[in-house]
Amino acid sequence: MTALPPIYYLHVWWARRPLVASRAAILASILPADTDHEAFKFALGIHGEPAATKVKIDWAKRNKVDLGPNPYGYIRAFQYDPQPDARRLLPHLQDIRLLDPTAGGGAIPLEAARLGMHAHANDLNPVAALIMKATIELPILFGKELVTEYNALVERFLARCEIEFAEVYPKEDPGTQILGYLWARTISCPYCAGVVPLSPNWNIGPDAAVALTPHVGAGPGASDRRCTFSIVAPEEQSAGTVASGDAVCVYSDCGRAIDGDEVKRQAQDGGLGEQLIAIPFKRKEVTRDGKGKNKNLVVRGYRAPSEHDDNSQQVRALLESKLSEWEARNILPVEEIPVGSKTDEARRYGMLHWKDLFSQRQILAQGICVQAYQDLLDEDRDSSALSPLRQAAFVYLALGLDKLRDYNSRMTRWHSKRETIVNTFDRHDFAFKWSYAEMPHCVQGLGLSWAIKNTGKALRELCILVGEDATDDLFSKSSVRSGSVEITNQSGAALDSVADRSVDVIVMDPPYGANVMYAELSDFFYVWLKRTAGLVYPQTFTRRLTDKQAEAVANVAHFKGEKGAAKFAERDYRFKMEGIFAECRRTLKDDGIMTVMFTHKDTGAWDALAMSLMDAGFVITASWPVNTEATGSLHIKDKAAANSTIFLVCRPRQEVQGNAVYWEDIEPEVARAVRARVGEYQAAGISGVDLYLASFGPALEAFSRHWPLTRGTPAPEPKRKRRTQADMFEEFDPYAVRPEDALHAARREVKAWRLAQLASAKAQADMDAPTAFYVLAWDAFKAVSFPYDEALRLARAVGVDLEEQVVGRLAEKKASEIKLWDSATRIAKGAIGPADGARGMIDALHHAAHTVRMRGVEAAVEQLEKASIAQDDEFKVALEALLEVLPPSKTFSGIEADKAIKPAADDFDALETLRRIAYENEIGEPQQLELYREMIAAK
């Protein structure tokens, strides 16, 4: 975590842009166009050549060379205080007012405040509002005094809880630290009544696994049919007992399959139990070295559970003794989990209330913490000790307890490779876990003490980031205190506290359609926070649950049961975003600027965003793809779903009355705008799928300048498989133009531009979409398998339907991956189209490759001539392009292909042989073979 900004581990939020990218967006929005680029980069905290240094670091790791503690030669960019440099570039920073109407985790307003500006940060979600208060407002207001106050409060809190926790967990041997308790959910076999532990596999560590010993007892129907567990080597583990929701009985006298519907039925009837299967631990051991001196070692291991470890009866008795008081005091979250896009899986498995996401021991421990929190708060209020500073300290204590819940619910899991607990929200959903890991509250260095200490570390570092002169040399010190921040908790479409034309700049990272259901997810924390921090700031926690109806997301759950729910959800998202952008237009000065960070795998979301922007009165005046995943240069790892985020620069539209503007006249301008920028993007390092998405920016620039548009020639009505209710509300207008038309033009231009680089044949024929997808997939990913989401982005970029035209024809979907098929696999599966390329020229290429592999080149040429495509320009272009991207075989490259790509390399071998014999005078040798020859010569 030393590599991460403290906002990332203060509290969970599901989408944050890196601090340095946020700082760049703000500064680039307000600085003059002629600002010195090096001075700009220096203010961002980039004081060297981080990309080159990263290459050097990778080399050092491979060669085991020590480059010292800081090979970059300067502090991490996010730690650098930007205010002095920014003031030199723009002296009146303190007079600039910034608005972020959908501020979420607060990265943008935090950086605005650090720059010395006045930031107005708003979010509809009260959890986000509280996070921003703790991230920006309170550290600025109280500084290092808040750290001292928090530590004093924590000391009182831990002392109060320690007494209560003495009876919650079993006692351990001195010197042994329990790292967690590993549990498997169980059902009762409907055929033999045996208790069946459920887990897809029984791996728990690199060198450890679990073996089940089923005890049949008195036979089928007996009440004593249970399993015990032992720790074994991975190769000796038991077979998994559940797959795709279906289970299998483990008892030798039964062994029947248990349908997934039966598993869900038992879960919904409250019959899903749990069994402790293993306990990871570490302990100190004393050994003697070669000189006979004692040497302390820390040994990690696993042990099977014993009777001593099962204190469920004691836990149940403790919980029952407290329930009446806790119900009276509203300690536990009894609120029902609402139906939703992300909550339905939890409900399917019987978790209908938020407290059901925790085991009895977990809920007992959480209840003890909430009771202690409330008792301390009441004591301070009664003694008039609840000062604003003490109130702020209580907020951070509430956030620390949230951290513990994130790592201590039934939705966690044990990471067998890293041997650690993975938190509830390692994904953006409530995925059901067949086995989960419980973090004990009372173990020193883990549980409660870990969560609270971790929160204190985040608080201390936040105080330093915002300019407090703390006694800490971790970060650089600010010479000037941060600017100010105002945090509001309301709809971004109704900012009643912001006056008309009062904002100089808006920088925002809006919700991305159906990507994240923030309200559904944040209820997990909200129901606890309103029982803790909500008692300190009750005005923020007035609702039973978070507001899902006003949230600007495309949530199909709001239209459940209606045909065309996804279209209804998309329209709802577009209307809500239009309302937010209209409010931005109202509050922004006429000469103001708005920068919107956006990236999405679905062009439908881009269409909705651009339409909302233009309908709200904005024109897109510039766009920039920015690498927000920051491989090396910004020291922030794996924090964005896409490599690049597109920064759309928008300004208020000056209304101009005039004649209608036709799309047919503007489409060439859109194409020229894309062609003018795509080479620049590639030269700057934007590659692969990101290159296609980057083109959307210049396309929308050109498009929005001429809005509104109409068609001179009516468009044909699109064919629909079936008409939904949503379609009834949107009557087809053949003259209507949408941003998606511009995106289609961008896809076409980038596709043609990239394919022209791959194929130098004289033929100018365009490539069909399925063939283009296959070629560009190999070009972008250089692998057989790649993430489904990445494939979807590429499919949208080239204009192919992934599910209809790729999956089951060119590739298969395996879990969250797409795996491309070679010619032999496609033919064996009967997934290939006609040999004449009528469904896609990739079919003709694969038929030819397979024929060469099976019967030789002459048979392949005969096949092509019979299909009348042997001299087809489109076939030759596709052949040349495919030979540039497929992995070469050893025959032509001199390098043995890996096992995974060997089938594709065999296709290359066949097609290159075909080219050399039948097309050598028309199609030159693949350029990539020259690179391989250079590599071999260098060796």
Side-chain angles (χ1 to χ4, degrees), residues 616-802:
F618 284 99
V619 60
I620 300 169
T621 58
S623 63
W624 301 95
V626 177
N627 189 327
T628 52
E629 193 169 2
T631 52
S633 61
L634 298 181
H635 318 292
I636 298 175
K637 185 181 178 184
D638 300 331
K639 290 297 170 187
N643 289 335
S644 294
T645 297
I646 311 304
F647 286 20
L648 298 175
V649 184
C650 310
R651 296 181 186 275
R653 176 187 299 281
Q654 304 302 317
E655 296 298 336
V656 178
Q657 299 295 327
N659 297 326
V661 181
Y662 294 103
W663 166 241
E664 289 84 353
D665 296 329
I666 303 305
E667 187 174 12
E669 182 180 334
V670 170
R672 286 194 299 272
V674 172
R675 283 197 299 270
R677 298 290 294 280
V678 67
E680 174 189 342
Y681 293 155
Q682 189 182 54
I686 303 294
S687 61
V689 175
D690 287 298
L691 191 62
Y692 301 95
L693 293 181
S695 73
F696 290 176
L700 292 175
E701 288 177 46
F703 184 86
S704 69
R705 277 198 299 271
H706 301 284
W707 185 256
L709 292 160
T710 187
R711 293 183 189 277
T713 304
E717 184 169 2
K719 295 180 180 179
R720 296 187 178 95
K721 291 182 179 179
R722 63 178 184 274
R723 196 168 178 81
T724 67
Q725 285 178 275
D727 295 323
M728 304 294 290
F729 288 94
E730 286 190 357
E731 186 175 344
F732 174 69
D733 181 358
Y735 294 96
V737 182
R738 296 191 59 86
E740 195 163 10
D741 292 306
L743 304 183
H744 177 71
R747 287 194 301 259
R748 186 178 62 242
E749 289 301 317
V750 178
K751 181 182 76 170
W753 182 82
R754 184 67 187 124
L755 290 175
Q757 290 183 314
L758 294 172
S760 59
K762 294 180 181 179
Q764 297 299 311
D766 192 16
M767 188 177 290
D768 61 86
T771 306
F773 176 89
Y774 196 88
V775 168
L776 295 173
W778 273 107
D779 180 48
F781 304 113
K782 297 176 174 57
V784 174
S785 297
F786 43 91
Y788 179 87
D789 283 352
E790 295 293 311
L792 189 56
R793 292 167 64 203
L794 177 61
R796 298 292 187 187
V798 301
V800 70
D801 188 312
L802 186 65

Side-chain angles (χ1 to χ4, degrees), residues 54-347:
K54 182 62 167 60
V55 172
K56 185 178 178 181
I57 291 171
D58 291 340
W59 172 87
K61 287 180 179 178
R62 290 193 301 269
N63 293 277
K64 298 181 180 180
V65 175
D66 185 5
L67 297 179
N70 184 11
Y72 288 93
Y74 59 94
I75 63 170
R76 298 184 185 278
F78 79 83
Q79 295 171 348
Y80 181 69
D81 173 25
Q83 193 172 152
D85 296 308
R87 281 182 179 275
R88 281 191 287 271
L89 294 171
L90 201 64
H92 63 286
L93 269 172
Q94 72 277 4
D95 299 326
I96 297 178
R97 184 178 176 88
L98 174 141
L99 169 66
D100 183 351
T102 56
I108 293 168
L110 172 61
E111 282 300 317
R114 293 184 69 201
L115 286 164
M117 302 164 63
H118 174 77
H120 186 127
N122 175 75
D123 202 279
L124 173 69
N125 194 299
V127 177
L130 185 74
I131 291 171
M132 287 191 288
K133 193 175 189 71
T135 299
I136 315 166
E137 180 184 310
L138 298 178
I140 290 176
L141 187 61
F142 296 111
K144 63 183 178 183
E145 291 181 341
L146 183 51
V147 178
T148 303
E149 190 73 16
Y150 174 76
N151 290 336
L153 177 61
V154 162
E155 190 174 339
R156 293 170 57 205
F157 178 79
L158 290 176
R160 185 73 58 95
C161 291
E162 187 176 345
I163 300 170
E164 293 282 349
F165 282 135
E167 301 179 73
V168 176
Y169 299 94
K171 298 290 188 294
E172 286 298 325
D173 296 333
T176 298
Q177 183 187 50
I178 298 301
L179 302 177
Y181 298 94
L182 309 189
W183 298 85
R185 308 303 295 273
T186 66
I187 59 167
S188 174
C189 175
Y191 308 107
C192 74
V195 176
V196 180
L198 301 175
S199 186
N201 65 73
W202 299 96
N203 268 326
I204 56 175
D207 303 311
V210 172
L212 281 61
T213 302
H215 302 279
V216 298
S223 60
D224 57 348
R225 292 167 69 86
R226 294 179 67 83
C227 292
T228 55
F229 308 93
S230 55
I231 307 301
V232 297
E235 60 270 17
E236 298 172 345
Q237 68 178 287
S238 296
T241 54
V242 64
S244 302
D246 299 325
V248 61
C249 182
V250 296
Y251 298 92
S252 58
D253 53 358
C254 180
R256 297 177 67 175
I258 305 170
D259 186 76
D261 290 339
E262 169 63 18
V263 176
K264 294 185 184 73
R265 186 195 66 76
Q266 289 194 31
Q268 292 164 6
D269 290 345
L272 209 59
E274 56 192 25
Q275 270 190 282
L276 187 60
I277 61 171
I279 300 174
F281 65 87
K282 65 180 181 181
R283 63 169 173 256
K284 293 181 180 179
E285 294 185 356
V286 179
T287 61
R288 291 185 178 275
D289 60 18
K291 298 180 180 179
K293 294 182 178 180
N294 288 344
K295 184 178 181 181
N296 293 323
L297 294 177
V298 176
V299 178
R300 293 177 65 106
Y302 298 85
R303 63 176 174 81
S306 65
E307 290 185 6
H308 166 75
D309 297 307
D310 184 5
N311 69 339
S312 55
Q313 289 186 349
Q314 182 180 0
V315 167
R316 193 176 301 113
L318 280 170
L319 187 57
E320 288 176 357
S321 70
K322 294 177 179 295
L323 276 180
S324 58
E325 179 188 357
W326 285 0
E327 288 173 3
R329 293 179 58 176
N330 192 25
I331 295 288
L332 300 180
V334 295
E335 294 88 346
E336 185 177 354
I337 299 175
V339 173
S341 294
K342 300 301 181 184
T343 56
D344 276 2
E345 184 167 0
R347 292 178 59 87

